[in-house]
Amino acid sequence: MDPADLGDQLQDVLLTEEQLHTRLDEIAVEIDRDYAGKDVLLVGVLKGAVMVMADLARRLHTPVAMDWMAVSSYGSGTKSSGVVRILKDLDTDLSGRHVLIVEDIIDSGLTLSWLLSNLRSRGPASVEIATMLRKPDAAKVQVDVRYVGFDIPNEFVVGYGLDYAERYRNLPFVGTLAPHVYGG
Ligand code: XMP
Ligand code: MG
C-alpha cells in the first residue's frame, strides 16, 4: 500500500517506509553489538509488533529465537484502559534467557511496565525493550527503554503494524488519519 491508496482517509505521513527502515538498520547494529556472544529471545507483542519484529529480526546477525505474546489494554478504541489481560502467553521458559521485548509503540507505558514486571518474575537473565515508536508526552509511567526508533507527538497513529479498528496495519509507513475516518 502507498499513501495514494488511502485517498482522503490519510491526514499526514509521519514516517516514511525509508525512514523506518533506515532507523531499523541502526538499531540492529546496536543490538548486535550489545548482545555479542549471547543468545537472544525476541518477544513480540501481538498484533502491532509483527512488522517491526519481522523487519528487525531479519537485520540481526545475533542468533535469536522469536516468541509472541498477546496482551490487551485497548480494545478497538484509541484510549488506554490501564487494564492488561494476557490473551496469549509465551511458549518459552524464560529462565536464564536474554529477553528483548519488541514493541510497536509505547504510549502511556502502562502495558509495557506491566509486561516488564510480569516477564521479570519468570527468572530471565535480562529483559530489555525495543520499540519502533514512543510518545513521550503521553507517558504515565516511566519505563526504561533501551532501543527507540522514533519519538512522535501525542497523536493517534496507524500503519506499520498499528491499526484503527484492525485496519491500516499493512501500511508500510506511519501516518495519521483524517478525523472523518473516526466517524466524528
Ligand atoms: P500503552 O498506553 O499501555 O499502550 O503504552 C500501548 C499499546 O496501545 C496501543 N496504542 C496505539 N495503537 N495507534 C495505535 O494503533 C496509536 O497511536 C497507539 N497508541 C497506543 C498499541 O497497541 C500499544 O501496544
Ligand atoms: Mg501493541
Side-chain angles (χ1 to χ4, degrees):
M1 290 197 97
D2 54 49
D5 292 319
L6 290 188
D8 71 352
Q9 298 168 57
L10 181 67
Q11 183 161 279
D12 281 311
V13 175
L14 252 60
L15 297 162
T16 64
E17 180 171 13
E18 192 193 350
Q19 285 176 298
L20 295 170
H21 286 187
T22 302
R23 187 70 189 112
L24 281 177
D25 289 342
E26 296 167 355
I27 290 175
V29 169
E30 284 182 50
I31 292 173
D32 277 334
R33 187 194 60 211
D34 295 348
Y35 287 92
K38 291 177 180 152
D39 217 318
V40 182
L41 177 68
L42 300 178
V43 170
V45 184
L46 295 169
K47 306 169 190 168
V50 165
M51 304 297 176
V52 52
M53 180 77 138
D55 285 342
L56 178 63
R58 282 180 291 182
R59 283 168 165 76
L60 296 175
H61 297 278
T62 308
V64 299
M66 287 184 252
D67 202 349
W68 302 91
M69 246 180 121
V71 299
S72 147
S73 66
Y74 258 64
S76 60
T78 63
K79 286 268 148 57
S80 183
S81 68
V83 179
V84 180
R85 280 187 305 143
I86 295 184
L87 305 177
K88 185 225 169 283
D89 207 345
L90 298 172
D91 300 323
T92 315
D93 178 0
L94 296 192
S95 42
R97 303 297 300 265
H98 291 284
V99 176
L100 180 58
I101 300 172
V102 177
E103 262 285 23
D104 47 357
I105 190 164
I106 302 175
D107 189 282
S108 68
L110 292 169
T111 308
L112 207 53
S113 73
W114 180 91
L115 195 62
L116 261 183
S117 46
N118 183 289
L119 298 190
R120 280 192 176 130
S121 73
R122 307 185 193 192
S126 67
V127 184
E128 298 290 348
I129 301 160
T131 186
M132 194 71 225
L133 306 172
R134 180 172 66 180
K135 297 180 183 171
D137 297 340
K140 290 196 182 130
V141 285
Q142 205 46 54
V143 191
D144 221 358
V145 184
R146 184 87 169 253
Y147 311 98
V148 179
F150 297 93
D151 281 325
I152 61 167
N154 191 8
E155 288 176 84
F156 194 78
V157 294
V158 297
Y160 202 65
L162 292 163
D163 72 306
Y164 171 63
E166 294 302 326
R167 292 184 60 198
Y168 309 104
R169 292 191 194 276
N170 61 328
L171 305 180
F173 57 90
V174 172
T176 52
L177 295 173
H180 71 82
V181 177
Y182 300 110

Coordinates of all heavy atoms in Angstrom, one line a residue, residues 146-178:
R146 N 15.5 0.6 26.1 CA 16.9 0.5 25.6 C 17.0 1.0 24.1 O 17.9 1.7 23.8 CB 17.4 -0.9 25.7 CG 18.8 -1.2 25.3 CD 19.7 -0.9 26.5 NE 21.1 -1.4 26.2 CZ 21.6 -2.5 26.7 NH1 20.9 -3.2 27.6 NH2 22.8 -2.8 26.4
Y147 N 16.0 0.6 23.3 CA 16.1 1.0 21.9 C 14.8 1.6 21.5 O 13.7 1.0 21.6 CB 16.3 -0.3 21.0 CG 17.5 -1.1 21.5 CD1 17.3 -2.2 22.3 CD2 18.8 -0.8 21.2 CE1 18.3 -3.0 22.8 CE2 19.9 -1.6 21.7 CZ 19.6 -2.7 22.5 OH 20.6 -3.4 23.0
V148 N 14.9 2.8 21.0 CA 13.7 3.6 20.5 C 13.9 4.0 19.0 O 14.9 4.6 18.7 CB 13.4 4.8 21.3 CG1 12.2 5.6 20.8 CG2 13.3 4.5 22.8
G149 N 12.9 3.6 18.2 CA 13.0 4.1 16.8 C 12.8 5.6 16.7 O 13.8 6.3 16.3
F150 N 11.6 6.0 17.0 CA 11.3 7.4 16.9 C 10.4 7.9 18.1 O 9.5 7.2 18.4 CB 10.6 7.7 15.6 CG 11.4 7.4 14.4 CD1 11.3 6.2 13.7 CD2 12.2 8.4 13.8 CE1 12.0 5.9 12.6 CE2 12.9 8.1 12.6 CZ 12.8 6.9 12.0
D151 N 10.7 9.1 18.6 CA 9.7 9.7 19.5 C 8.8 10.5 18.6 O 9.2 11.3 17.7 CB 10.5 10.7 20.4 CG 11.1 9.9 21.6 OD1 10.5 8.9 22.0 OD2 12.2 10.3 22.1
I152 N 7.5 10.4 18.8 CA 6.5 11.0 18.0 C 5.5 11.8 18.9 O 5.5 11.6 20.1 CB 5.7 10.0 17.1 CG1 4.9 9.0 18.0 CG2 6.6 9.3 16.2 CD1 3.9 8.2 17.3
P153 N 4.8 12.8 18.2 CA 3.9 13.6 19.0 C 2.7 12.7 19.5 O 2.5 11.6 19.1 CB 3.3 14.6 18.0 CG 4.2 14.5 16.8 CD 4.9 13.2 16.8
N154 N 2.0 13.3 20.5 CA 0.9 12.5 21.2 C -0.3 12.5 20.3 O -1.3 13.2 20.7 CB 0.7 13.1 22.6 CG -0.2 12.3 23.4 OD1 -0.6 11.1 23.0 ND2 -0.7 12.8 24.5
E155 N -0.3 11.9 19.2 CA -1.4 11.7 18.3 C -1.6 10.3 18.0 O -0.7 9.5 18.0 CB -1.1 12.4 17.0 CG -1.1 13.9 17.0 CD -0.7 14.4 15.6 OE1 -1.5 14.5 14.7 OE2 0.5 14.6 15.3
F156 N -2.9 9.9 17.7 CA -3.1 8.5 17.3 C -2.6 8.3 15.9 O -2.9 9.0 15.0 CB -4.6 8.2 17.4 CG -4.9 6.7 17.3 CD1 -4.7 5.9 18.5 CD2 -5.3 6.1 16.2 CE1 -4.9 4.6 18.4 CE2 -5.5 4.8 16.1 CZ -5.3 4.0 17.2
V157 N -1.8 7.2 15.8 CA -1.1 6.9 14.5 C -1.5 5.5 14.1 O -1.8 4.7 14.9 CB 0.4 7.1 14.6 CG1 0.8 8.5 14.8 CG2 1.0 6.2 15.6
V158 N -1.4 5.3 12.8 CA -1.7 4.0 12.2 C -0.6 3.6 11.2 O 0.2 4.5 10.8 CB -3.0 3.9 11.5 CG1 -4.2 4.1 12.4 CG2 -3.1 4.9 10.3
G159 N -0.5 2.3 10.9 CA 0.4 1.9 9.9 C 1.6 1.1 10.5 O 1.8 1.2 11.7
Y160 N 2.3 0.4 9.7 CA 3.5 -0.4 10.2 C 3.1 -1.2 11.4 O 3.8 -1.2 12.4 CB 4.7 0.6 10.5 CG 6.0 -0.2 10.4 CD1 6.4 -0.8 9.2 CD2 6.7 -0.4 11.6 CE1 7.6 -1.5 9.2 CE2 7.9 -1.1 11.5 CZ 8.3 -1.7 10.4 OH 9.5 -2.4 10.3
G161 N 2.0 -1.9 11.3 CA 1.5 -2.8 12.4 C 0.4 -2.2 13.2 O -0.4 -2.9 13.9
L162 N 0.3 -0.9 13.3 CA -0.7 -0.2 14.1 C -2.0 0.0 13.4 O -2.0 0.4 12.2 CB -0.1 1.2 14.5 CG 1.1 1.1 15.5 CD1 1.7 2.5 15.5 CD2 0.6 0.7 16.9
D163 N -3.1 -0.3 14.1 CA -4.4 -0.3 13.5 C -5.3 0.8 14.0 O -5.1 1.3 15.1 CB -5.0 -1.6 13.8 CG -5.5 -1.8 15.2 OD1 -4.6 -1.6 16.1 OD2 -6.7 -2.0 15.5
Y164 N -6.3 1.0 13.3 CA -7.5 1.6 13.8 C -8.6 0.6 13.5 O -8.9 0.4 12.3 CB -7.8 3.0 13.2 CG -9.2 3.5 13.6 CD1 -9.5 3.7 15.0 CD2 -10.2 3.7 12.7 CE1 -10.8 4.1 15.4 CE2 -11.5 4.1 13.1 CZ -11.7 4.3 14.4 OH -13.0 4.7 14.8
A165 N -9.3 0.1 14.5 CA -10.3 -0.9 14.3 C -9.9 -2.1 13.4 O -10.6 -2.5 12.5 CB -11.6 -0.3 13.8
E166 N -8.6 -2.5 13.6 CA -8.0 -3.6 12.9 C -7.6 -3.3 11.4 O -7.1 -4.2 10.7 CB -8.9 -4.9 12.9 CG -9.0 -5.5 14.3 CD -7.6 -5.8 14.9 OE1 -6.7 -6.3 14.2 OE2 -7.5 -5.7 16.2
R167 N -7.8 -2.1 11.0 CA -7.4 -1.7 9.6 C -6.1 -0.9 9.7 O -5.7 -0.5 10.7 CB -8.5 -0.9 8.9 CG -9.7 -1.7 8.6 CD -10.7 -0.9 7.9 NE -10.2 -0.4 6.6 CZ -10.7 0.6 5.9 NH1 -11.8 1.2 6.3 NH2 -10.2 0.9 4.7
Y168 N -5.5 -0.8 8.5 CA -4.3 0.1 8.3 C -3.0 -0.6 8.8 O -1.9 0.1 8.7 CB -4.5 1.5 8.9 CG -5.7 2.1 8.5 CD1 -6.8 2.2 9.4 CD2 -5.9 2.7 7.2 CE1 -8.0 2.9 9.0 CE2 -7.1 3.3 6.9 CZ -8.1 3.4 7.8 OH -9.3 4.0 7.4
R169 N -3.0 -1.8 9.4 CA -1.8 -2.4 9.9 C -0.8 -2.6 8.7 O 0.4 -2.6 9.0 CB -2.0 -3.7 10.5 CG -2.8 -3.7 11.8 CD -2.8 -5.0 12.5 NE -3.8 -5.2 13.5 CZ -3.6 -4.8 14.8 NH1 -2.5 -4.2 15.2 NH2 -4.5 -4.9 15.7
N170 N -1.3 -2.8 7.5 CA -0.4 -3.1 6.4 C 0.2 -1.9 5.7 O 0.9 -2.1 4.6 CB -1.1 -4.1 5.4 CG -2.3 -3.4 4.8 OD1 -3.0 -2.6 5.5 ND2 -2.6 -3.8 3.6
L171 N 0.0 -0.7 6.2 CA 0.7 0.4 5.6 C 2.1 0.3 5.9 O 2.5 0.1 7.0 CB 0.1 1.7 6.2 CG -1.4 2.0 6.1 CD1 -1.6 3.4 6.8 CD2 -1.9 2.0 4.7
P172 N 3.0 0.5 4.9 CA 4.4 0.4 5.2 C 5.0 1.6 5.8 O 6.2 1.7 6.2 CB 5.0 0.2 3.8 CG 4.0 0.8 2.8 CD 2.7 0.6 3.5
F173 N 4.2 2.7 6.0 CA 4.6 3.9 6.6 C 3.7 4.2 7.9 O 2.8 3.4 8.1 CB 4.5 5.1 5.7 CG 3.1 5.3 5.1 CD1 2.1 6.1 5.7 CD2 2.7 4.6 3.9 CE1 0.9 6.2 5.2 CE2 1.4 4.7 3.4 CZ 0.5 5.5 4.1
V174 N 4.1 5.2 8.7 CA 3.3 5.6 9.8 C 2.6 6.9 9.5 O 3.3 7.8 9.1 CB 4.2 5.7 11.1 CG1 3.4 6.2 12.3 CG2 4.7 4.3 11.5
G175 N 1.3 7.0 9.8 CA 0.6 8.2 9.5 C -0.5 8.5 10.4 O -0.9 7.6 11.3
T176 N -1.2 9.6 10.2 CA -2.4 9.9 11.0 C -3.6 9.9 10.0 O -3.4 10.1 8.8 CB -2.3 11.3 11.6 OG1 -1.9 12.3 10.6 CG2 -1.3 11.3 12.7
L177 N -4.7 9.6 10.5 CA -5.9 9.5 9.7 C -6.8 10.8 9.8 O -6.8 11.5 10.9 CB -6.8 8.4 10.2 CG -6.2 7.0 10.0 CD1 -7.0 5.9 10.6 CD2 -5.9 6.7 8.5
A178 N -7.5 11.1 8.8 CA -8.4 12.3 8.8 C -9.5 12.0 9.8 O -9.9 10.9 10.0 CB -9.0 12.4 7.4

